[in-house]
Amino acid sequence: MPKTSRRGPRRRAVSAGAAALTALSLAAAGCGPGGSGGSGAASRPPAAARPGAGLPTGQLEPANWKVADWARFVGENAFVNEVAQGFWSVARMERAKGRAAPEFSYRTAAAGVDRDPPPAAAAARPVPHPYGPGTAVVGRIFMTAPEGESACSGTVVGDPANPGRSNLVYTSAHCLHDGKGGGWMKNLVFVPGYNRDGQAVRGKPSTEQQLSPYGRWTAVRALVSPTWLKESGVGANAQYDYGIIRVRNENGSGTSLEEAVGGSIPIWFNAPRDQITSASSYGYPAERPFDGTELNQCDSAVRPGRLSFDAARPPMYVIGCSMTGGAAGGGWFIVRDGKPNLVSLSSIGNRNPSEHLAGPSLQDQAKQAFGYFSKNVR
């Protein structure tokens, strides 16, 4: 087990330098499937949303929506994904470019209590091949974006409405939808455990089995943050940069994604920030100096910092990490009660050189969106 530190009764967080890879292996040993978490003492942030497309009139904070409000929002922003079987050939997957994470600057972030000094830069490191059973929950998401064939990262998460048989993948909103004035990505497919055995090398012939050992999983439904859909640009909308897809096996089998990969990761919504003493991020960076073929990880040596563009919204987590475009959407993990939990995901970064990654704090809005999607979106 990773070395841990105790913060309050029955809760543990990863200590500095602990390998979340070890924790992820627990998912394949029966520690998944988790639910949506949701315990913790974090308070609800002040309402900050403004009326916009798809938001019920008079309802300013999606965290307070009723089921009917979520149904209306999903109906007005319907996701359609008509990917043809075999569309993502080996050649097409290999030439997909990493979907660039929106860039941020500390100069544009809100000053004060919700912004900490920049953390020290830290280099990402490749996960050794062959990947352990637990890392099958991490994979690549391929899509046709306005800029062409692109890729992000995602994580198989537990489905409270279907324990043991989840078909849900958690990722960044910007990997699914372009936000205000834009549309949904097309031809969305999730490939868990991409290049698990390290046999695929860019520039050399590869097989489907080498690249997609657990198959390809087509997105059939999707939901992104209401805030993401009504705001544009890079700023406060990143504080709600989360999204969910429901998938099915491209081969038409009745096996669930969770069964195929051997586990899932629960999401810890409203995780008290003082219990997140460090975190490990995973993803498939594809912009230089990376090429998208390797799963990489960054382990924060200290408590993730705070980064805000709107102080009325939950501050993001920020860590030192050199991962580039393509890693967006990859999960950030801690160990809680001996089990891996997802507490955030890669959303925005900086470049020239790439030194930091920031991810949203998944609080009330994200929890309610996930609960609705799990129960009602098929």
Side-chain angles (χ1 to χ4, degrees), residues 70-137:
W70 282 105
R72 174 183 166 185
F73 172 75
V74 171
E76 291 181 351
N77 298 281
F79 167 77
V80 178
N81 190 39
E82 298 180 352
V83 57
Q85 183 169 347
F87 176 85
W88 286 102
S89 62
V90 167
R92 191 169 254 136
M93 286 191 290
E94 288 186 329
R95 68 172 176 255
K97 299 182 182 300
R99 179 135 236 246
E103 293 184 60
F104 76 91
S105 167
Y106 274 89
R107 292 190 300 274
T108 62
V113 67
D114 287 325
R115 192 196 77 176
D116 293 325
R125 65 181 190 277
V127 175
H129 294 289
Y131 303 150
T135 54
V137 299

Side-chain angles (χ1 to χ4, degrees), residues 166-179:
S166 176
N167 283 307
L168 302 184
V169 176
Y170 214 69
T171 188
S172 295
H174 78 263
C175 293
L176 307 178
H177 194 284
D178 264 338

Side-chain angles (χ1 to χ4, degrees), residues 36-40 267-270 336 367:
S36 59
S39 62
I267 305 173
W268 188 5
F269 293 107
N270 286 321
R336 181 191 185 202
K367 179 182 178 182

